[in-house]
Amino acid sequence: MAAMARGQSVNRNAESNRQFFATAIRSIFDCRCLASFNQKRGVPMPSEKPDLPKIAYSIREACHVSSLGRTTIYNHIAAGRLRAKRIGGRVVIPAESLHALIGGQE
């Protein structure tokens, strides 16, 4: 056995570990992709759970769906034009309140 420089065996082990985990991760990814693919039609399958209508939005979701900024949302809450409810440590906005604000029914 030839003399190895210090740390050379560690580098070889690290490289083999990298190859092993890369292969494992690739196979897991491939399985997940194939599981959501309909082989007969060649198109992705729809998600298993149906999209339920939202009854409340987080501040971030309210900003996204209304195209309003975070500060604007908080200003409407402070002015009483938008209802908000604190549940635990989270602030949620009822969907009907957000729809009424956007629809112009204050």
Side-chain angles (χ1 to χ4, degrees), residues 32-69:
R32 286 189 178 168
C33 287
L34 289 175
S36 66
F37 194 78
N38 186 332
Q39 294 294 334
K40 291 181 181 178
R41 296 185 186 157
V43 295
M45 294 173 59
S47 63
E48 293 178 15
K49 58 182 182 177
D51 291 332
L52 298 174
K54 295 278 258 182
I55 59 171
Y57 295 99
S58 68
I59 297 294
R60 180 180 290 205
E61 290 171 332
C63 292
H64 180 74
V65 298
S66 67
S67 298
L68 296 174

Side-chain angles (χ1 to χ4, degrees), residues 18 23 27 37-38 45 50 57 63 66-67 71 75 81 84 92-95 106:
R18 249 191 306 270
T23 304
S27 66
F37 194 78
N38 186 332
M45 294 173 59
Y57 295 99
C63 292
S66 67
S67 298
T71 304
N75 286 341
R81 292 185 295 267
V92 293
I93 298 169
E106 294 181 38

